[in-house]
């Protein structure tokens, strides 16, 4: 896991466990003999791209610092239905009490990685790249963006401090594309590029002439997109182009073929369903 | 919002904002004049059941303690596409910086409420109730369970400390249904009922005779479910029955008609997609 | 220790140490040579039931992760005056700086366990059980409830979310016993039983007929209690009965013999005195 | 309340409420109509010295920032059985959900103030002062020391960083009273006085000649105490003397009359019982 | 204050106060009558550029939410010795207890703003800009960077996540300037520019041809700097140039005149001395 | 490190790292191969007194719990320019990501130790001692006071709760030196000495006669100081004297020779410049 350092991951996982455990797992405490041992296996019940193994291991590790996960695949791997993804031998109560949180993470992150992989496949061979958005579940951004990477996508901004993206709302309030870009270039640090949404030819010309580095083409058809790409390429050899809005598996290739560099897809993170993964426990070590 | 007191909600929302804002919204700071005012409107782009208005208001309130939301509907209301759900007049930078987090919450919670409402509708007129599970996004449990309520569903356990539910894994480790139920009755506080999974007639008889209060019928067909229900009703007049596993909109009514009291549906919270809601901002107050 | 996981205990103990140490133990720093070693022994100065060994060990462990406690008894054991309960060999400054917090915990928790044991003994042979209340020192609930267990008592609710107990104040506001019980059955999750206070025959009949699971008999004499028990048993074979209010070591057996199932005693946790335990340190390892 | 600033008190009270409320007060939510109003009264059920009114008010204030307490007495006042100490008009659910934590604080702190007052009374007219110790319930030190003040006692050290008190354990490890005092004078800041335990005439002479400011006489009889006091006064006109260990209401005056300046009493904070105070709620505003 | 939202500032100031106040301001509590009022004035004892008024106000506001500061100048203003910068009327204990923390902030931040202003003045009329570095006091970065802005400087990276700056150490480990730049362009998000240190002509050519956006010229003489600038301008019209290392007030203009765009000065934040500002309090309101 | 226990230091260092790393060190992640190893060396670029080695080690340790620092000197040692102070072998990304925070601490703390040593040297042979003040950078007090110790100075109060120092502002509000001292003696715990500022002969007499333990002579010339010292010594053999205000390396010896016991120097902590120390990394282990 790239950005999330171990300490931050541990703190986040501990909060997730605390949410689920409250004052303790009363069922397990009441029914399972303390210190008895068990084996658990994570099993893919459908084809999927794995993501979240480290997070799942951290769940058990937060309950018992000795508990590890033996993984048979790596994050980013595609597996078939029936594949045992990982297994854990340990204390029965640790496996039982951590099961739900571990599955909640593994199922969701694998869901995002799997959907991302489908989008990436759909545009293979074009020069475009699939990127995510900030449409992530509150509280899970780092993990979710990591799952997009595991699926083969790339990450757009991690937060509002992580890049300048001037959208329609900003433009309206700033008094036009050119004014907004110029203000941004003057105000933000010299290490930041400027991306701006353009919706008319005039906007596009203003954006390029005021020095925008990236143009966002939002909610256009592939045909309109292609026209804007052509116009932009005439005006600048450096400017990057990004499509967003209304992009689905069915039409993503058309956008890629329209010549944009980046295609951002909110659905990767706001509407991926959880993958069907089970965790089966049996007694013994 | 029922359980989440104001302070806890505020802290959670602040953490969500901090995740998105990091060191600050550099685009808005660079392009929008400080203290300029604006109006924003949340618009339903498809039919949906609303949930999360209080959470959305709390987002803006955390950025500016004066900022309120004028809601035109209540959580739990069904609205058509095109409906303006709520509006906010305030500082432009507050609206812009809070927009994404507010939408991320409102879209997800409304998605859960909407899907829940569909399940509730599907079993209308039967005596059964739709309940949720612990298959919630880590970190969002209270908000997600609130959305299920807004959709008309009821809540199962809030966490592992909130009730005794003895599942297959516990039974295997405890040495059978009867042994597990008896241990639980001895160990847990007198205010807790005991729910136990049963998968055979023998299990069911053991469960009832050892005093289980609720029986969980997991991953059965509606026909098998009906047979178990009949057998249980013969043995006890008080015992409650719950179906779970593999329940979809298409088959949920068959389970309800099989006579169970409760139907728990993981999909409500693990696979609802986000609803399409936009937030449009314009200058002025 | 059953519910308090290691991480939560560690955090709590660290807060206790921080309260006592502030910016550091200036006396020990000034008078004891760094890295010198010492031995300390916890000695019972009066007969008592031990509770809190793990908490005491955690105090020293929070100061020096290597520091352990060698215990000669277990929590729940009765010891005579003069008994060495446990000893610790380690750095002199760790033993000196942790001494007071470790004793504060061990003395209080043993006090609660000892008093609880007296109540449990007093009703031996009857079918009743001693349970605690929520009358615990703020901030210490989990530890205090653990001490009750060590003493042989059982735990009532851990908090207001942990069970439904409808008391006189609720009844007055809800408009009667029957109305309150019916509302509660409709509103709370299916895994919760309903306990309700009854103070008249009419209340008792209403409670049973509306489906209450447990009846609380508060501030009655043993004779009145016996009469209510008789009446309740006539009306229901399942209902549990709990006595509370004004129960002391002198009269607790009378309540038990009146036939109730549970006797809750606030004094266990609000008025137990600290046991006399000393910690004597000598140089050397 | 003197040292505990408002923010710190609020944080502490919030933690206490969170401990008791967990995910919410399910009984009140289920039985009491939201936004209904009620009146509650704190009633002394036995004679006592009041302490903790501000803390009790902060409990309700943390649940509803508008909620106040109308107090009819002040902390430190003695009241008779039957006295209404304070009342609160507000939302019924706020009063019900905060009742237990408010009582837990008020009963305990009043218990400490009441016991302290008895000790203070017992030595009236002598020149000695009653002081507390660090034998406080972990997590409550500031509140507990405040209650001692309300009772008329004075505070000894707030923590190990708050003064130099060289006890038998330190002396043993430092190699004698004189060595320990000299080290302390060299090491600690110039604003700290040095207190040291002395148990023999030789210790006492060493302590005075090495410049100790206060002498601790631990676990002596009143007669031995008087002899030490005499000896000390011969050697120094400035040195203060403190008695501690085994001091009870029955013998405290004898120590005071032995001529010490300070008498520290652990029982004030480790073994005071909670006072009997009730909180009665009725509907209406 | 631009990036630091009010909540974050409040939390930080509270931590600073807690560091200084510990268990409370015992001198003020002992010597000043509670609720007495006083007036305090911040007075510049030497010429300086003001920075930190909002932080100073937040100090008093954290002690008493009603306490405000009446400022007679704004952050960024230059004032002469003898100027009253701001005054506060309020509770005497609030002013006394907050004085030191408020001064510690105001003196340091004004020191940084003042030094920054001197550097900015020194290069007036050249096209270059003064920027800060990450050589800030741990824990104070946002406040310190704000003071640089108040002084007229611009901010370089706020942290290691806020931009790509490839230095000698990275280059050595990555295997050369070209390899490092190419890797960075491939790995980091499309909104980030790439800055790279160059120390030879070959480096510079590699950097430009691999697409670096900004070149860092570290520890060069003004003459060497001028030569590199010339070479870079030949190769690219867009590339920015930054000087750093060994830059002092005496030589900064020579670097600016060498033609670089940015001059980063570590001394702004690591070696500015505190300005002499006093806070004089008198009784009355 | 004396007062700062390991846990507190770890938490503080983690906060400092989090401030600098934000969501991660994107340059290192992009340019340096994961798990590659490197060696780094801290090199003194000017003569200095070392302070902060433990803090620097803790920085790397917080990133990789295995990472240690091999120190060639100890805190408090004087080193020449060119001296390698310490080295670290470890993961390249750990060294790169921790470098800046480690240097920021080591450079600042060594700066304070170095300046303190100069003051200590300047008064060698007199009986006076150099002490620090509370004029420390907010958030760094414990580390900064530690650096003063490393430089050979002694520590004045750690916070407002750590001693009574009655200054001009308190005196004005309390109604005179005598009144203030008497109140303080009555109010504060018996372990605290009383220090009071005196600016006239009358003040000095009042202070001594009311029992002040230490007299603060603020902003006097050495000559005035000598006169006050003489007067004080006549009146009391025990009273300590402290000079403060306007004390520089050039005049500090004159104050020491005036006969005071303590000389407090704000510049030690508010205006020491950072020492020039570099951290050079090369590949390999």
């Amino acid at each position: 896991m790239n950005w999330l350092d171990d300490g931050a991951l541990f703190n986040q996982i501990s909060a997730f466990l605390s949410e689920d455990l409250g004052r303790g797992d009363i069922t397990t405490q009441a029914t399972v003999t303390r210190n008895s041992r068990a084996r658990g296996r994570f099993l893919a019940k459908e084809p999927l791209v794995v993501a979240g193994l480290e997070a799942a291991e951290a769940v058990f590790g937060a309950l018992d610092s000795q508990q590890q996960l033996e993984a048979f695949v790596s994050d980013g791997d595609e597996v078939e239905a029936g594949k045992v993804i990982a297994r854990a031998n340990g204390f029965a109560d640790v496996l039982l009490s951590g099961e739900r949180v571990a599955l909640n993470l593994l199922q969701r992150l694998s869901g995002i990685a799997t959907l991302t992989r489908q989008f990436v496949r759909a545009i293979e061979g074009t020069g475009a790249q699939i990127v995510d958005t900030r449409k992530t579940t509150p509280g899970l951004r780092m993990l979710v963006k990591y799952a997009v990477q595991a699926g083969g996508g790339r990450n757009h901004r991690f937060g509002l401090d992580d890049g300048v993206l001037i959208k329609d709302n900003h433009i309206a309030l700033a008094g036009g594309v050119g004014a907004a870009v110029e203000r941004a270039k003057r105000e933000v640090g010299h290490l930041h590029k400027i991306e701006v949404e353009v919706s008319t030819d005039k906007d596009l010309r203003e954006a390029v002439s005021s020095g925008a580095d990236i143009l966002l083409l939002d909610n256009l058809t592939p045909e309109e997109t292609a026209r804007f790409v052509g116009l932009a390429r005439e005006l600048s050899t450096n400017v990057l182009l990004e499509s967003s809005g209304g992009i689905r598996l069915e039409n993503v290739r058309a956008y890629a073929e329209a010549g944009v560099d980046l295609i951002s897809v909110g659905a990767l993170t706001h509407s991926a369903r959880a993958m069907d993964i089970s965790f089966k426990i049996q007694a013994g070590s």
Side-chain angles (χ1 to χ4, degrees), chain A:
Chain A
M1 211 159 296
N2 235 4
W3 325 276
L4 240 178
D5 67 278
D6 291 356
L9 180 62
F10 178 84
N11 288 341
Q12 191 168 27
I13 295 292
S14 296
F16 294 162
L17 277 167
S18 162
E19 180 189 58
D20 194 35
L21 283 163
R23 300 190 186 84
D25 177 355
I26 59 176
T27 305
T28 297
Q29 284 162 12
T31 59
V32 175
T33 308
R34 233 171 131 68
N35 294 327
S36 65
R37 297 189 66 85
R39 289 169 293 170
R41 302 191 313 164
F42 287 101
L43 180 74
K45 308 284 284 287
E46 61 180 321
L48 55 85
V49 176
V50 178
L53 286 167
E54 229 174 297
E57 183 171 44
V59 171
F60 297 116
L63 291 170
D64 170 8
S65 62
Q66 305 300 313
Q67 183 63 57
Q68 292 185 308
L69 208 62
E70 188 185 357
F72 301 114
V73 295
S74 299
D75 280 352
D77 285 356
E78 296 185 33
V79 302
E80 290 309 305
K83 174 72 183 176
V84 175
I85 297 173
R87 70 175 171 201
N89 289 11
F91 290 114
D93 56 354
V94 167
L95 300 189
L96 284 163
S97 297
E99 168 187 358
R100 184 77 267 142
V101 176
L103 278 175
N104 281 349
L105 287 167
L106 200 56
Q107 292 173 338
R108 273 165 180 71
L109 299 182
S110 297
I112 291 165
T114 302
L115 183 57
T116 303
R117 184 66 51 88
Q118 292 170 348
F119 274 91
V120 169
R121 284 274 152 74
I123 63 162
E124 228 159 22
T126 71
Q129 290 187 314
I130 298 295
V131 297
D132 56 24
T133 66
R134 286 169 39 251
K135 297 176 182 175
T136 58
T137 309
L140 283 190
R141 184 158 292 163
M142 294 308 274
L143 287 165
V144 153
K145 295 232 162 197
Y146 168 77
V148 168
Q149 279 214 346
R154 289 176 61 85
N155 302 130
H156 210 294
R157 291 189 293 176
F158 280 84
L160 288 168
D161 60 337
D162 190 42
V164 177
L165 174 41
I166 305 169
K167 291 203 183 162
D168 52 354
N169 281 331
H170 302 100
I171 293 166
L173 290 158
V177 164
V181 172
E182 274 155 30
R183 258 171 99 161
K185 287 179 77 82
R186 208 164 51 231
E187 295 290 331
V188 304
H190 65 278
L191 286 167
H192 287 290
K193 291 187 179 171
I194 310 289
E195 177 165 3
V196 66
E197 183 175 342
V198 294
S199 45
T200 64
D201 287 17
K202 178 166 165 298
D203 280 358
L204 190 151
R205 287 178 199 283
E206 253 182 71
V208 172
S209 72
S210 54
D213 300 288
I214 305 127
L215 308 184
L216 178 67
L217 308 173
D218 192 38
N219 281 316
L220 302 186
T221 62
E223 294 69 35
E224 293 168 320
T225 301
R227 202 179 60 78
F228 272 89
V229 171
L231 179 55
R233 300 289 185 226
E234 273 172 38
L235 297 168
S236 158
T237 53
N238 297 323
V239 77
L240 291 179
L241 289 126
E242 174 181 344
S243 277
S244 71
I247 292 165
R248 301 181 307 279
L249 269 175
E250 299 76 37
N251 64 14
V252 65
R253 189 162 189 99
Y255 286 93
E257 292 177 345
V260 294
D261 303 284
L262 304 151
I263 302 175
S264 55
V265 183
L268 300 184
T269 57
H270 72 54
S271 292
R273 67 172 178 80
M275 292 291 101
D276 194 358
I277 301 173
S278 72
F279 187 62
K280 213 67 201 174
I281 300 177
Q282 57 185 131
S285 63

